[in-house]
PDB file of all heavy atoms in Angstrom:
ATOM      1  N   ASN A 186      25.838  -6.798  -5.843  1.00 89.00           N
ATOM      2  CA  ASN A 186      26.683  -7.068  -7.016  1.00 89.00           C
ATOM      3  C   ASN A 186      26.413  -6.068  -8.138  1.00 89.00           C
ATOM      4  O   ASN A 186      26.164  -6.432  -9.285  1.00 89.00           O
ATOM      5  CB  ASN A 186      26.471  -8.500  -7.513  1.00 89.00           C
ATOM      6  CG  ASN A 186      27.558  -8.921  -8.521  1.00 89.00           C
ATOM      7  OD1 ASN A 186      28.646  -8.353  -8.543  1.00 89.00           O
ATOM      8  ND2 ASN A 186      27.255  -9.902  -9.348  1.00 89.00           N
ATOM      9  N   ARG A 187      26.448  -4.805  -7.759  1.00 91.00           N
ATOM     10  CA  ARG A 187      26.282  -3.716  -8.723  1.00 91.00           C
ATOM     11  C   ARG A 187      27.000  -2.495  -8.184  1.00 91.00           C
ATOM     12  O   ARG A 187      27.282  -2.412  -6.979  1.00 91.00           O
ATOM     13  CB  ARG A 187      24.794  -3.402  -8.940  1.00 91.00           C
ATOM     14  CG  ARG A 187      24.078  -2.918  -7.691  1.00 91.00           C
ATOM     15  CD  ARG A 187      22.595  -2.697  -7.964  1.00 91.00           C
ATOM     16  NE  ARG A 187      21.870  -2.329  -6.761  1.00 91.00           N
ATOM     17  CZ  ARG A 187      21.734  -1.077  -6.305  1.00 91.00           C
ATOM     18  NH1 ARG A 187      22.302  -0.074  -6.976  1.00 91.00           N
ATOM     19  NH2 ARG A 187      21.050  -0.822  -5.214  1.00 91.00           N
ATOM     20  N   PRO A 188      27.306  -1.518  -9.019  1.00 92.00           N
ATOM     21  CA  PRO A 188      27.989  -0.315  -8.545  1.00 92.00           C
ATOM     22  C   PRO A 188      27.159   0.424  -7.502  1.00 92.00           C
ATOM     23  O   PRO A 188      25.951   0.618  -7.678  1.00 92.00           O
ATOM     24  CB  PRO A 188      28.166   0.517  -9.826  1.00 92.00           C
ATOM     25  CG  PRO A 188      28.127  -0.479 -10.931  1.00 92.00           C
ATOM     26  CD  PRO A 188      27.158  -1.534 -10.490  1.00 92.00           C
ATOM     27  N   LEU A 189      27.806   0.841  -6.396  1.00 90.00           N
ATOM     28  CA  LEU A 189      27.115   1.511  -5.299  1.00 90.00           C
ATOM     29  C   LEU A 189      27.968   2.661  -4.795  1.00 90.00           C
ATOM     30  O   LEU A 189      29.193   2.603  -4.847  1.00 90.00           O
ATOM     31  CB  LEU A 189      26.866   0.544  -4.135  1.00 90.00           C
ATOM     32  CG  LEU A 189      26.026  -0.703  -4.406  1.00 90.00           C
ATOM     33  CD1 LEU A 189      26.237  -1.716  -3.287  1.00 90.00           C
ATOM     34  CD2 LEU A 189      24.552  -0.336  -4.496  1.00 90.00           C
ATOM     35  N   ASN A 190      27.316   3.685  -4.268  1.00 91.00           N
ATOM     36  CA  ASN A 190      28.051   4.706  -3.527  1.00 91.00           C
ATOM     37  C   ASN A 190      27.653   4.615  -2.060  1.00 91.00           C
ATOM     38  O   ASN A 190      26.767   3.829  -1.686  1.00 91.00           O
ATOM     39  CB  ASN A 190      27.801   6.105  -4.094  1.00 91.00           C
ATOM     40  CG  ASN A 190      26.325   6.483  -4.079  1.00 91.00           C
ATOM     41  OD1 ASN A 190      25.565   6.054  -3.210  1.00 91.00           O
ATOM     42  ND2 ASN A 190      25.910   7.279  -5.050  1.00 91.00           N
ATOM     43  N   SER A 191      28.288   5.407  -1.226  1.00 89.00           N
ATOM     44  CA  SER A 191      28.040   5.301   0.213  1.00 89.00           C
ATOM     45  C   SER A 191      26.602   5.653   0.565  1.00 89.00           C
ATOM     46  O   SER A 191      26.032   5.101   1.512  1.00 89.00           O
ATOM     47  CB  SER A 191      29.003   6.213   0.977  1.00 89.00           C
ATOM     48  OG  SER A 191      28.862   7.558   0.533  1.00 89.00           O
ATOM     49  N   GLN A 192      25.985   6.552  -0.216  1.00 91.00           N
ATOM     50  CA  GLN A 192      24.602   6.938   0.077  1.00 91.00           C
ATOM     51  C   GLN A 192      23.649   5.781  -0.204  1.00 91.00           C
ATOM     52  O   GLN A 192      22.696   5.541   0.553  1.00 91.00           O
ATOM     53  CB  GLN A 192      24.199   8.155  -0.756  1.00 91.00           C
ATOM     54  CG  GLN A 192      22.845   8.739  -0.373  1.00 91.00           C
ATOM     55  CD  GLN A 192      22.806   9.219   1.064  1.00 91.00           C
ATOM     56  OE1 GLN A 192      23.638  10.019   1.467  1.00 91.00           O
ATOM     57  NE2 GLN A 192      21.856   8.743   1.834  1.00 91.00           N
ATOM     58  N   ASN A 193      23.918   5.041  -1.304  1.00 92.00           N
ATOM     59  CA  ASN A 193      23.097   3.858  -1.594  1.00 92.00           C
ATOM     60  C   ASN A 193      23.135   2.884  -0.433  1.00 92.00           C
ATOM     61  O   ASN A 193      22.098   2.346   0.002  1.00 92.00           O
ATOM     62  CB  ASN A 193      23.605   3.145  -2.851  1.00 92.00           C
ATOM     63  CG  ASN A 193      23.542   4.006  -4.089  1.00 92.00           C
ATOM     64  OD1 ASN A 193      24.407   3.941  -4.952  1.00 92.00           O
ATOM     65  ND2 ASN A 193      22.512   4.847  -4.207  1.00 92.00           N
ATOM     66  N   ALA A 194      24.342   2.637   0.069  1.00 91.00           N
ATOM     67  CA  ALA A 194      24.496   1.696   1.175  1.00 91.00           C
ATOM     68  C   ALA A 194      23.835   2.222   2.434  1.00 91.00           C
ATOM     69  O   ALA A 194      23.178   1.471   3.174  1.00 91.00           O
ATOM     70  CB  ALA A 194      25.983   1.428   1.411  1.00 91.00           C
ATOM     71  N   ALA A 195      24.000   3.524   2.715  1.00 91.00           N
ATOM     72  CA  ALA A 195      23.414   4.113   3.924  1.00 91.00           C
ATOM     73  C   ALA A 195      21.891   4.014   3.899  1.00 91.00           C
ATOM     74  O   ALA A 195      21.255   3.707   4.913  1.00 91.00           O
ATOM     75  CB  ALA A 195      23.852   5.571   4.059  1.00 91.00           C
ATOM     76  N   ASP A 196      21.293   4.266   2.741  1.00 91.00           N
ATOM     77  CA  ASP A 196      19.825   4.189   2.631  1.00 91.00           C
ATOM     78  C   ASP A 196      19.332   2.766   2.859  1.00 91.00           C
ATOM     79  O   ASP A 196      18.310   2.548   3.516  1.00 91.00           O
ATOM     80  CB  ASP A 196      19.381   4.666   1.247  1.00 91.00           C
ATOM     81  CG  ASP A 196      19.623   6.151   1.048  1.00 91.00           C
ATOM     82  OD1 ASP A 196      19.766   6.868   2.059  1.00 91.00           O
ATOM     83  OD2 ASP A 196      19.676   6.588  -0.125  1.00 91.00           O
ATOM     84  N   ALA A 197      20.073   1.793   2.335  1.00 90.00           N
ATOM     85  CA  ALA A 197      19.627   0.399   2.420  1.00 90.00           C
ATOM     86  C   ALA A 197      19.896  -0.216   3.790  1.00 90.00           C
ATOM     87  O   ALA A 197      19.214  -1.167   4.184  1.00 90.00           O
ATOM     88  CB  ALA A 197      20.308  -0.427   1.336  1.00 90.00           C
ATOM     89  N   LEU A 198      20.865   0.300   4.508  1.00 91.00           N
ATOM     90  CA  LEU A 198      21.289  -0.343   5.771  1.00 91.00           C
ATOM     91  C   LEU A 198      20.823   0.409   7.003  1.00 91.00           C
ATOM     92  O   LEU A 198      21.351   0.206   8.093  1.00 91.00           O
ATOM     93  CB  LEU A 198      22.820  -0.478   5.780  1.00 91.00           C
ATOM     94  CG  LEU A 198      23.398  -1.355   4.655  1.00 91.00           C
ATOM     95  CD1 LEU A 198      24.909  -1.349   4.712  1.00 91.00           C
ATOM     96  CD2 LEU A 198      22.865  -2.774   4.767  1.00 91.00           C
ATOM     97  N   GLN A 199      19.819   1.251   6.848  1.00 88.00           N
ATOM     98  CA  GLN A 199      19.280   1.975   8.011  1.00 88.00           C
ATOM     99  C   GLN A 199      18.732   1.021   9.071  1.00 88.00           C
ATOM    100  O   GLN A 199      18.797   1.301  10.265  1.00 88.00           O
ATOM    101  CB  GLN A 199      18.165   2.926   7.556  1.00 88.00           C
ATOM    102  CG  GLN A 199      18.668   4.140   6.807  1.00 88.00           C
ATOM    103  CD  GLN A 199      17.535   5.073   6.424  1.00 88.00           C
ATOM    104  OE1 GLN A 199      16.373   4.825   6.736  1.00 88.00           O
ATOM    105  NE2 GLN A 199      17.871   6.153   5.740  1.00 88.00           N
ATOM    106  N   LYS A 200      18.202  -0.124   8.622  1.00 89.00           N
ATOM    107  CA  LYS A 200      17.618  -1.087   9.561  1.00 89.00           C
ATOM    108  C   LYS A 200      18.661  -1.663  10.515  1.00 89.00           C
ATOM    109  O   LYS A 200      18.313  -2.225  11.556  1.00 89.00           O
ATOM    110  CB  LYS A 200      16.932  -2.220   8.790  1.00 89.00           C
ATOM    111  CG  LYS A 200      17.873  -2.980   7.861  1.00 89.00           C
ATOM    112  CD  LYS A 200      17.116  -4.016   7.040  1.00 89.00           C
ATOM    113  CE  LYS A 200      18.041  -4.731   6.065  1.00 89.00           C
ATOM    114  NZ  LYS A 200      17.324  -5.734   5.258  1.00 89.00           N
ATOM    115  N   PHE A 201      19.950  -1.543  10.168  1.00 89.00           N
ATOM    116  CA  PHE A 201      21.013  -2.049  11.035  1.00 89.00           C
ATOM    117  C   PHE A 201      21.553  -0.963  11.974  1.00 89.00           C
ATOM    118  O   PHE A 201      22.547  -1.175  12.665  1.00 89.00           O
ATOM    119  CB  PHE A 201      22.167  -2.607  10.194  1.00 89.00           C
ATOM    120  CG  PHE A 201      21.803  -3.845   9.416  1.00 89.00           C
ATOM    121  CD1 PHE A 201      21.560  -3.775   8.054  1.00 89.00           C
ATOM    122  CD2 PHE A 201      21.691  -5.068  10.052  1.00 89.00           C
ATOM    123  CE1 PHE A 201      21.229  -4.914   7.335  1.00 89.00           C
ATOM    124  CE2 PHE A 201      21.364  -6.215   9.336  1.00 89.00           C
ATOM    125  CZ  PHE A 201      21.129  -6.140   7.984  1.00 89.00           C
ATOM    126  N   ASN A 202      20.900   0.199  11.968  1.00 88.00           N
ATOM    127  CA  ASN A 202      21.300   1.301  12.848  1.00 88.00           C
ATOM    128  C   ASN A 202      22.740   1.743  12.567  1.00 88.00           C
ATOM    129  O   ASN A 202      23.506   2.053  13.488  1.00 88.00           O
ATOM    130  CB  ASN A 202      21.147   0.898  14.323  1.00 88.00           C
ATOM    131  CG  ASN A 202      21.147   2.098  15.249  1.00 88.00           C
ATOM    132  OD1 ASN A 202      20.780   3.211  14.846  1.00 88.00           O
ATOM    133  ND2 ASN A 202      21.578   1.903  16.487  1.00 88.00           N
TER     134      ASN A 202
END
Side-chain angles (χ1 to χ4, degrees):
N186 193 22
R187 63 183 176 87
L189 300 163
N190 58 31
S191 57
Q192 188 61 55
N193 299 144
D196 292 340
L198 298 177
Q199 287 182 1
K200 59 185 177 180
F201 293 104
N202 197 26

